[in-house]
Amino acid sequence: GKTHTMLGSLDQPGVMVNTLHDMFMRMQTDEMFRDKKFKVTLSYLEIYNERINDLLQPSSTDLQLSEDPVRGMVVQGITEYGADSADEILELLHRGNLHRTVEPTAANQVSSRSHAVLQVTVEQAERTAHVTGNLRIGKLSMVDLAGSERASKTENRGDRLKEGANINRSLLALGNCITALAEGRRSHVPFRDSKMTRLLKDSLGGNCRTVMIANISPSHRTYEETVNTLKYANRAKNLKTQVARNVMSVSAHIAEYQRIIMELRNEVADLKAAAAGSAKQVPPHGLREDTRPGASPNGRSQRS
């Protein structure tokens, strides 16, 4: 299904795994990037019952969204990890999936009850950058959507019914945003109708290419769901990208230098404190060497 397509298995890697491997391979082997350096950070979260939970830090739940003029939509308090290889990201991805909300239903024994969003941010700069330089920033969002549900088929009750209603509500909000953007009605796009659409605001209507993979079934029993899914995905083809250069002329290096200087100052202060503490230590057996002129090694003064 959808989760298998995005995550896959050890024998059959999914979209997320293959994309990350290709990304790091290009950064390391492509001649175009020989004089570039990269910084890769990632976060992994789930949207469960319209609550944002950090999958890499399970204690961080019900996180809030805010809009940053530079970075776009930002989740307050989300854990961001740095990574130097695809294997590091895959290890974090596996750890996060262990905390994802999965429950059995009549239609699926391992039904995903939340939307999972992996966001990877890549910063590209010159290896020999000066004090100020150009910094390119790109953000890749890979989303594993939970499937829409009919209570009559899933036989959901109680918490499962509430989860299904929230899943359907967020998918409807996503469909409304896609429809509004595809029809060119940018004066009002209902991004605020759902946490997921707010989070993906930059991906849907900004400077970003959007790809949607639809999961359908050849069975006649799911005919209506298949038709609705294809209509849903067909609208995504009409999204128009607002092209803009993701280049910032920033004094990022100055801020980095200031951080390094502060760390060195703290280290020097610690070394001074340690040196002062060792100088005050009393020699063994409580004896002190007499450093007065003419003093003998045994501590008694020598007279001529």
Side-chain angles (χ1 to χ4, degrees):
K2 296 176 294 300
T3 300
H4 179 73
T5 301
M6 295 303 296
L7 298 177
S9 61
L10 293 176
D11 299 329
Q12 296 177 320
V15 172
M16 290 183 178
V17 178
N18 290 325
T19 300
L20 294 172
H21 273 298
D22 289 348
M23 183 183 74
F24 276 97
M25 184 178 295
R26 284 204 63 189
M27 289 192 298
Q28 294 167 1
T29 62
D30 198 321
E31 288 295 320
M32 183 188 305
F33 305 127
R34 184 176 56 183
D35 297 327
K36 312 292 184 183
K37 63 178 180 180
F38 297 91
K39 178 183 178 183
V40 180
T41 56
L42 73 134
S43 61
Y44 193 31
L45 58 90
E46 72 169 358
I47 302 175
Y48 172 70
N49 284 345
E50 285 300 297
R51 294 160 59 98
I52 298 178
N53 302 326
D54 189 346
L55 291 175
L56 300 178
Q57 190 69 36
S59 59
S60 299
T61 59
D62 198 13
L63 303 177
Q64 301 301 312
L65 271 173
S66 62
E67 190 163 3
D68 187 273
V70 176
R71 299 176 61 192
M73 298 307 301
V74 177
V75 180
Q76 299 294 330
I78 193 74
T79 305
E80 292 187 342
Y81 284 86
D84 297 321
S85 67
D87 291 336
E88 290 185 34
I89 296 182
L90 298 181
E91 184 180 347
L92 293 171
L93 198 61
H94 175 71
R95 189 203 310 174
N97 288 328
L98 297 177
H99 303 294
R100 191 175 176 190
T101 306
V102 177
E103 297 290 347
T105 67
N108 187 355
Q109 288 298 312
V110 286
S111 175
S112 299
R113 313 309 295 165
S114 64
H115 309 297
V117 183
L118 173 67
Q119 290 193 320
V120 182
T121 303
V122 181
E123 297 180 4
Q124 173 190 314
E126 301 288 340
R127 287 189 183 276
T128 57
H130 299 288
V131 174
T132 58
N134 290 331
L135 186 69
R136 285 188 174 186
I137 302 176
K139 183 166 65 175
L140 173 65
S141 298
M142 290 181 280
V143 186
D144 177 20
L145 293 173
S148 60
E149 296 184 346
R150 290 191 177 186
S152 59
K153 290 190 175 182
T154 57
E155 301 178 5
N156 287 339
R157 299 291 185 272
D159 290 340
R160 302 293 85 77
L161 185 64
K162 179 182 177 182
E163 292 165 355
N166 280 307
I167 290 171
N168 292 340
R169 188 180 298 116
S170 61
L171 291 174
L172 177 62
L174 178 61
N176 291 337
C177 289
I178 291 176
T179 300
L181 291 167
E183 294 178 355
R185 293 187 280 112
R186 292 184 176 273
S187 57
H188 175 66
V189 181
F191 287 117
R192 290 186 171 272
D193 287 356
S194 167
K195 290 283 183 68
M196 182 173 63
T197 50
R198 284 191 67 196
L199 182 65
L200 300 178
K201 179 179 178 181
D202 298 331
S203 301
L204 293 173
N207 181 28
C208 186
R209 292 181 179 178
T210 303
V211 177
M212 179 175 289
I213 301 175
N215 181 270
I216 59 176
S217 170
S219 173
H220 68 279
R221 297 178 181 178
T222 58
Y223 173 78
E224 292 183 9
E225 286 85 349
T226 298
V227 171
N228 290 332
T229 300
L230 290 174
K231 289 180 179 178
Y232 192 100
N234 185 61
R235 291 196 296 264
K237 295 195 305 183
N238 300 320
L239 290 176
K240 298 292 188 292
T241 302
Q242 302 297 309
V243 180
R245 295 185 65 194
N246 293 337
V247 178
M248 298 172 57
S249 180
V250 297
S251 300
H253 302 288
I254 294 180
E256 184 70 10
Y257 295 151
Q258 289 175 339
R259 183 185 65 79
I260 293 173
I261 291 171
M262 184 60 66
E263 289 180 355
L264 291 174
R265 284 178 175 173
N266 292 336
E267 186 176 348
V268 169
D270 292 340
L271 290 173
K272 284 183 176 179
S278 61
K280 293 179 180 179
Q281 290 180 356
V282 178
H285 309 297
L287 299 177
R288 291 179 181 272
E289 184 178 355
D290 194 346
T291 57
R292 292 176 298 172
S296 63
N298 60 8
R300 297 179 179 177
S301 300
Q302 297 178 346
R303 295 184 180 179
S304 55

